[in-house]
Amino acid sequence: MFDLVRAAIPVFVACLALEYLSFRFLPDDDELGYNRRDTRTSLLMGLGNVIINLGWKLVVVAVLAGAYLVAPIHLSATNPLTWVVLFFADDLAYYWYHRTHHTIRVLWASHVVHHSSTFYNLSTALRQPWTPFSSLPYWIPLALIGIPPWMILLQQSVSLVYQFFLHTERVGKLWRPIEFLMNTPSHHRVHHGSNDAYLDRNYGGILIVWDRLFGTFEPEGERVDYGLTKNIETHNPLKVATHEFGAIIRDVRSAATWRHRWGYIVKGPGWSPAAE
């Protein structure tokens, strides 16, 4: 099956090089640019994600195909309306996948990898988790309404390629109608911010309308502080990939009751019994 993300890797590399050169020869004191160790970690995280997905995608295809087989109807790929339905359904699925991976700690343990850099450039887009297994359930409903699995996977890759270009400080705010409808670098910078005003905001993939509808939109205002509320201070890819899982295990072991243990797993990042 054609994988648009892997096919786009040469484009990603070329854009990384161009962005790096733009910082080198057209520096901006208000922008962070690149850090060699940080960028190396991001690239290694991306490479690991690609390798893991070589096997995991087989499971994804099998599950989506099974759901598609039992779907009461099968939508035609030759009907333009199927592609319209797919676009909006995929983007809505991504919104809820993304939102729950910020608000449920065991899911955050996987997604936190993407937010672990204190820099914000195109290499940050490649800082992906090595535990992508929790994303599958969000797209099963698309197969159950009759969208062919190959179309679902293609649209997922279109969304990921689009989102790669959001990870930059080199692009300011765009034309207002675009900023109103679409996810843009400005909106996504907010999402990567650790500022109090920016926490848990702007979950959209391609569109920003879901955030506007569900009350999670925040425009870019004050300067963004990138990274986590408590940064992990490591460039070790294995630690970046697993640190939050380790923290959950430690918290669960130290909890006094089963309710508290459960809270450390399913409540939001930062939750503790003292917060109740």
Side-chain angles (χ1 to χ4, degrees), residues 85-227:
V85 170
L86 170 62
F87 174 80
F88 286 102
D90 170 79
D91 210 57
L92 181 59
Y94 180 83
Y95 172 86
W96 284 108
Y97 151 79
H98 201 181
R99 182 168 175 170
T100 54
H101 278 66
H102 275 258
T103 55
I104 298 174
R105 191 181 179 193
V106 70
L107 302 180
W108 170 246
S110 174
H111 185 65
V112 67
V113 169
H114 185 59
H115 288 263
S116 60
S117 174
T118 57
F119 289 79
Y120 192 75
N121 52 57
L122 292 176
S123 76
T124 309
L126 306 179
R127 186 176 286 229
Q128 296 294 325
W130 292 355
T131 52
F133 318 115
S134 57
S135 63
L136 175 56
Y138 296 84
W139 277 268
I140 292 175
L142 276 66
L144 289 174
I145 66 172
I147 299 175
W150 70 267
M151 290 179 62
I152 297 172
L153 294 174
L154 177 59
Q155 184 58 37
Q156 283 182 330
S157 63
V158 168
S159 179
L160 289 174
V161 170
Y162 177 88
Q163 290 179 60
F164 170 82
F165 296 100
L166 301 177
H167 295 81
T168 183
E169 292 187 285
R170 302 259 80 179
V171 177
K173 291 188 178 182
L174 303 176
W175 186 39
R176 287 186 65 183
I178 295 176
E179 293 283 338
F180 184 80
L181 294 173
M182 308 296 291
N183 198 7
T184 65
S186 176
H187 297 328
H188 205 60
R189 286 193 289 270
V190 166
H191 178 70
H192 275 258
S194 61
N195 316 49
D196 287 343
Y198 293 161
L199 293 178
D200 299 328
R201 291 293 182 263
N202 297 3
Y203 297 115
I206 295 177
L207 300 174
I208 202 66
V209 294
W210 311 117
D211 290 284
R212 296 185 185 277
L213 286 172
F214 297 124
T216 53
F217 175 71
E218 183 69 31
E220 185 178 24
E222 63 185 86
R223 180 176 174 80
V224 182
D225 294 323
Y226 301 106

Side-chain angles (χ1 to χ4, degrees), residues 208-253:
I208 202 66
V209 294
W210 311 117
D211 290 284
R212 296 185 185 277
L213 286 172
F214 297 124
T216 53
F217 175 71
E218 183 69 31
E220 185 178 24
E222 63 185 86
R223 180 176 174 80
V224 182
D225 294 323
Y226 301 106
L228 306 173
T229 55
K230 293 182 180 179
N231 289 307
I232 56 176
E233 307 298 342
T234 181
H235 295 287
N236 183 318
L238 185 59
K239 290 182 179 179
V240 172
T242 62
H243 73 275
E244 185 64 13
F245 289 106
I248 291 175
I249 292 171
R250 290 191 295 273
D251 286 340
V252 168
R253 284 177 174 173

